[in-house]
Amino acid sequence: MGTLSSPAGSGIPGRTAPTPRRTLAVVIDAPQQLRLMQLDLPRPGDDEIVVDIEWSGISTGTERLLWSGRMPSFPGMGYPLVPGYESVGRVAYAGPDAGFALGERVFVPGARCFGEVRGLFGGAASRLVVPASRVVRCGAAVGESAVLLALAATARHALGTTDNAPPDLIVGHGVLGRLLARLSLVRGGAPPVVWESNPARREGAQGYEAVDPAADSRRDYRAIYDVSGDAALLDGLIERLAPGGEVVLAGFYSEPLTFRFAPAFMREARIRVAAEWRENDLADVRLLVETGCLSLDGLITHRAEATQAADAYRTAFDDPACLKMVLDWRACQ
C-alpha cells in the first residue's frame, strides 16, 4: 500500500483529502473464525488522520470473548468485526483541522472505518482512518510498549481518586494486575498482595509479592481488586474482606455475578464496578510512562508478524506463558 502524503513541496498536510485506500485487517467472521482481509477505507475528513499502524496488541479479555463468542450482547455487537483497541502507528495523512504532523507516533484505541465490517474495537489493521480527537501522541522512545497504554489507563481508572482505598489484594497477575500493582506503588500505597494460581505467572513481581491464593489465609483485606474476570470468585473474595471492606470488579465478566447475602451483610461489604477508562486516565498514564514513573517493561512476552495473526491469536489465548502478544504491521504498509 502506498503512503498518503501532502501535496508535493507543501511541507504541511494538504487540504485535498487523498483518494480512498485499502487496509489489511484482522477480521473475525464468527466465533473462532479469523482471517486477514483487505478492506476499503473511507476518504478522511478535515478533522481526521490516517495512521499507518506499526504494532497492535491482542487483548486476552475482551478479544478472547469476541473470539470465543461469549461476549455479552451490547449495542454495535455483531460479526464480522475487526477487533483490537491497542494500536500504535505513525500519522501518514492529517486533515487541515486535525492538528497533527506527518510522522508523529500516536496511540489509537480503535477505529470505525471499515464500512459494513464492524469495528469492535477496530484497531487490528495496517492502516486506520480515525478522528484526530480520538488518538493521543506518544513519545517515539516508548515504541511498541505504547500498545499497553489502554490497559494502564484501565488500571488507573480502577484505582479511582485518592478517596478510594488502594488495593491491598489484587486477584490476577496478568498484564492488568501487574499494571494495577505498579500504579498503586507509584501512588505511594503499601505493596499489595497479588493472587495468581498459575505458578509460571507469579514471576515478574516488582516491589510486591505474587502468591498462590491457596497459601493465603488472611481475612482482613480492606480493598480487593479483582481483574481475573472470573464471576465465580465473588463469594470467596467477600469472605476475605475486613468489616466495611470493598471488592472492586475491574475485570470483564461474561457470566452473571451473584453472591450470598449473609457474609456480605456481616461485613457490611461494598462492591464497586470499574468501568471503561476515560481520556484523563489515558493522559495520566502517558505522562507517567514518558517521565519514567511507570514502567511497562517485562509485560510484552510474545511478538508475531501481522501476517501470522491466526496463529498469534491462538497463542495469546491458549498459552499461559503469554502475557501480551503484539502484532507487527510494519511489513504490511
Side-chain angles (χ1 to χ4, degrees):
M1 293 187 294
T3 301
L4 300 171
S5 60
S6 308
S10 69
I12 59 173
R15 290 189 175 275
T16 301
T19 57
R21 300 287 181 133
R22 290 168 68 80
T23 184
L24 183 66
V26 173
V27 177
I28 301 178
D29 289 304
Q32 300 190 44
Q33 295 182 24
L34 181 149
R35 59 176 168 155
L36 284 173
M37 183 178 179
Q38 290 281 350
L39 299 174
D40 289 328
L41 289 175
R43 183 182 297 271
D46 287 352
D47 60 349
E48 293 184 312
I49 62 174
V50 178
V51 182
D52 284 342
I53 298 302
E54 298 171 291
W55 304 282
S56 66
I58 298 176
S59 165
T60 56
T62 53
E63 285 187 72
R64 185 199 297 270
L65 295 176
L66 292 171
W67 164 257
S68 66
R70 295 186 295 115
M71 175 66 81
S73 179
F74 59 89
M77 175 63 192
Y79 299 92
L81 60 88
V82 178
Y85 58 87
E86 303 171 320
S87 300
V88 177
R90 302 276 189 175
V91 176
Y93 171 86
D97 300 329
F100 281 85
L102 299 186
E104 284 193 275
R105 178 170 284 160
V106 294
F107 171 79
V108 187
R112 298 177 180 177
C113 55
F114 309 107
E116 294 183 357
V117 177
R118 301 168 188 262
L120 289 175
F121 299 87
S126 63
R127 173 172 288 161
L128 300 173
V129 177
V130 63
S133 60
R134 185 163 171 76
V135 309
V136 295
R137 293 176 174 87
C138 51
V142 179
E144 66 173 2
S145 294
V147 302
L148 299 168
L149 287 176
L151 281 177
T154 300
R156 167 65 185 82
H157 190 78
L159 285 175
T161 69
T162 54
D163 293 333
N164 296 118
D168 45 10
L169 172 62
I170 297 169
V171 182
H173 201 223
V175 175
L176 182 55
R178 294 169 196 239
L179 286 167
L180 189 55
R182 293 181 188 187
L183 281 168
S184 182
L185 293 173
V186 168
R187 186 174 278 189
V193 174
V194 179
W195 281 0
E196 177 53 61
S197 57
N198 184 340
R201 287 206 168 193
R202 292 182 207 133
E203 303 295 328
Q206 298 183 4
Y208 57 90
E209 186 179 9
V211 304
D212 183 348
D216 183 3
S217 60
R218 183 174 167 185
R219 293 179 177 271
D220 63 348
Y221 287 110
R222 296 169 301 127
I224 300 175
Y225 285 59
D226 177 51
V227 297
S228 70
D230 187 348
L233 294 181
L234 187 53
D235 270 331
L237 299 182
I238 289 172
E239 292 177 353
R240 297 300 192 111
L241 286 174
E246 179 180 62
V247 175
V248 180
L249 301 174
F252 196 91
Y253 305 85
S254 60
E255 301 297 329
L257 287 98
T258 61
F259 62 92
R260 291 181 290 115
F261 181 72
F265 173 81
M266 293 173 64
R267 290 165 178 80
E268 202 167 358
R270 291 172 291 120
I271 297 174
R272 175 164 63 90
V273 177
E276 188 179 22
W277 56 267
R278 301 291 186 262
E279 290 183 8
N280 63 297
D281 301 310
L282 189 61
D284 286 350
V285 295
R286 184 192 68 169
L287 180 61
L288 289 173
V289 169
E290 292 183 354
T291 56
C293 296
L294 175 64
S295 170
L296 301 178
D297 294 344
L299 300 177
I300 296 174
T301 56
H302 290 65
R303 299 163 178 83
E305 295 294 323
T307 53
Q308 304 300 313
D311 289 338
Y313 271 78
R314 292 185 179 90
T315 298
F317 299 151
D318 298 337
D319 186 349
C322 182
L323 288 178
K324 174 60 67 176
M325 170 70 79
V326 169
L327 296 179
D328 188 334
W329 293 92
R330 290 174 293 178
C332 300
Q333 306 303 336

